């Protein structure tokens, strides 16, 4: 083969690479920004937003097509609002993240997503989600989404450094997810639903913080600036208190209905207390071991907990259907 032919085969690009490698690199560079934005929006966290169906499910309002469509819309809007907070948070914390052994791999910290782009995308998502909620749902849904975004941004800027308040803010975020579906569909929310959901969320949040405290105890490697200010004993007290309050609230709701409804074979509401309590006890096993990480990871990865959850859903469905 002549030297001219060899030169033609090796251009463009590095020796030994296929001629298309330059185009592939350009495509990867073009896709790095949208992929980085998607990763910064935390797709793994979106499963939390399934909680928007909690209030309609508790009220037995999941049977109509209108409800399903509206809940899907609320899920998308809340996901957009939460993603906006993640984008702005990573832009705010970019310098601290670059010094962190794990967070430095986040797209904004790595430079895949420029800081101004993260701010702009976050602001646009926040504005679009709240405006769309006002138009497509109702004013109260838009108010709730706006309050969520403002509260979470305040948490990112200042409140995550305030003892106890940081726990309350994260818990309230879960509670808002559970409430917004009922608000969008104009479903009245019972006091027992709010009590059970609120303390259940606090239980999981405190269990996660307790696990982080146990894993980093004595190592000085806390992943949160405030974590070292809590003692593991205090966080254990919080998750135990919250677990007891959640179970008590649920049991009071179940017993409020009395015996079996007309036409029901069994007192399904009362029987659901067993599955609910077992689920809390199973989750507490991970909390006690210091292994209760992200709630979605615990729920999805532990098969016995998943089975208990399905059993509770089945029993609760029987109660809603009056079978």
């Amino acid at each position: 083969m002549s030297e001219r032919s060899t030169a033609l085969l090796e251009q463009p690009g590095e020796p030994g690479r296929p001629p298309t490698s330059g185009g592939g690199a350009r495509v990867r560079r073009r896709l790095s920004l949208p992929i980085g934005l998607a990763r910064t929006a935390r797709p793994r966290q979106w499963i939390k937003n399934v909680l928007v169906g909690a209030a309609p499910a508790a009220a037995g309002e999941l049977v109509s097509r209108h409800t399903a469509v509206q809940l899907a819309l609320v899920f998308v809007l809340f996901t957009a609002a939460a993603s906006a907070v993640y984008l702005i948070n990573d832009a705010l914390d970019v310098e601290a993240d670059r010094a962190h052994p794990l967070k430095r791999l986040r797209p904004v910290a790595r430079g895949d997503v420029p800081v101004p782009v993260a701010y702009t995308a976050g602001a646009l998502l926040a504005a679009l989600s709240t405006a769309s909620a006002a138009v497509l749902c109702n004013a109260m849904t838009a108010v709730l989404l706006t309050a969520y975004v403002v509260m979470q941004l305040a948490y990112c800027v200042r409140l995550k450094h305030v003892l106890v308040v940081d726990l309350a803010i994260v818990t309230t975020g879960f509670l808002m997810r559970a409430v917004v579906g009922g608000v969008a569909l104009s479903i009245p929310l019972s006091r027992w639903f709010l009590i059970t959901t609120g303390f259940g969320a606090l239980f999981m949040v405190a269990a996660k913080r307790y696990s982080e405290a146990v894993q980093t105890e004595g190592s000085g490697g806390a992943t949160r600036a405030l974590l070292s200010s809590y003692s593991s004993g205090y966080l254990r007290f919080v998750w135990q208190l919250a677990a007891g309050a959640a179970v008590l609230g649920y049991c009071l709701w179940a017993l409020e209905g009395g015996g079996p409804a007309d036409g029901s074979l069994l007192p399904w509401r009362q029987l659901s207390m067993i599955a609910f309590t077992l689920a809390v006890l199973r989750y507490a096993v991970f909390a006690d071991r210091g292994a209760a990480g992200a709630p979605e990871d615990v729920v999805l990865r532990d098969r016995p907990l998943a089975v208990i959850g399905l059993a509770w859903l089945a029993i609760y469905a029987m109660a809603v259907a009056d079978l």
Side-chain angles (χ1 to χ4, degrees):
M1 185 179 290
S2 67
E3 292 181 3
R4 177 179 175 81
S5 300
T6 304
L8 287 173
L9 285 174
E10 291 182 351
Q11 292 177 357
E14 300 173 4
R17 269 196 181 180
T20 57
S21 63
R26 284 194 295 271
V27 170
R28 284 194 296 272
R29 284 196 296 271
R30 289 172 184 170
L31 292 177
S32 64
L33 179 58
I35 290 174
L37 286 170
R39 286 182 56 204
T40 306
R42 312 279 209 282
R44 287 190 62 191
Q45 304 289 336
W46 295 353
I47 191 172
K48 295 176 183 177
N49 301 327
V50 174
L51 279 171
V52 301
E61 299 286 343
L62 287 179
V63 293
S64 69
R65 180 181 177 183
H66 169 72
T67 299
V69 172
Q70 196 71 4
L71 280 181
L73 174 62
V74 173
F75 175 86
V76 171
L77 293 175
F78 208 102
T79 297
S83 298
V85 173
Y86 291 134
L87 284 159
I88 295 174
N89 174 73
D90 283 10
L92 287 168
D93 292 346
V94 62
E95 295 302 328
D97 287 351
R98 284 171 180 165
H100 193 277
L102 296 178
K103 293 180 181 180
R104 64 186 177 82
L105 300 177
R106 289 177 174 177
V108 178
R110 284 178 52 182
D112 294 339
V113 177
V115 171
V117 173
Y119 277 126
T120 302
L124 285 174
L125 276 178
L128 285 173
S129 61
T130 53
S132 298
V135 174
L136 302 174
C137 299
N138 53 44
M140 187 54 68
T141 304
V143 169
L144 195 61
L145 276 177
T146 302
Y148 172 82
V149 171
V150 171
M151 181 185 71
Q152 294 299 319
L153 290 179
Y155 173 84
C156 296
V157 174
R158 179 73 182 98
L159 298 183
K160 65 181 178 182
H161 302 296
V162 182
L163 280 169
V164 181
V165 173
D166 70 310
L167 294 176
I169 294 293
V170 179
T171 298
T172 304
F174 280 99
L175 184 59
M176 283 184 166
R177 287 175 170 88
V179 165
V180 71
V183 170
L185 291 166
S186 301
I187 296 172
L189 302 170
S190 76
R191 61 186 184 278
W192 301 123
F193 173 80
L194 296 174
I195 290 171
T196 303
T197 305
F199 279 106
L202 179 60
F203 165 48
M204 291 187 290
V205 170
K208 181 183 178 184
R209 294 291 175 86
Y210 172 75
S211 297
E212 292 174 347
V214 169
Q215 291 167 10
T216 59
E217 201 166 38
S219 66
T223 57
R224 300 177 191 274
L226 198 64
L227 192 58
S228 58
S229 299
Y230 288 111
S231 69
S232 57
Y234 175 78
L235 292 170
R236 173 184 281 274
F237 163 74
V238 174
W239 72 253
Q240 289 177 336
L241 174 68
V247 170
L248 178 61
Y250 187 90
C251 290
L252 288 173
W253 165 80
L255 293 171
E256 189 180 49
D262 294 338
S264 295
L265 297 175
L266 292 169
W268 295 113
R269 281 176 57 148
Q270 288 76 26
L271 288 174
S272 69
M273 293 188 301
I274 300 172
F276 184 87
T277 305
L278 285 175
V280 172
L281 291 175
R282 179 69 187 181
Y283 199 99
V285 169
F286 295 95
D288 186 64
R289 292 174 180 171
E296 62 272 17
D297 290 340
V298 177
V299 173
L300 294 176
R301 292 179 182 177
D302 184 59
R303 186 171 296 178
L305 184 57
V307 171
I308 293 170
L310 290 174
W312 174 81
L313 283 174
I315 296 171
Y316 191 85
M318 295 289 190
V320 170
D322 290 334
L323 296 178

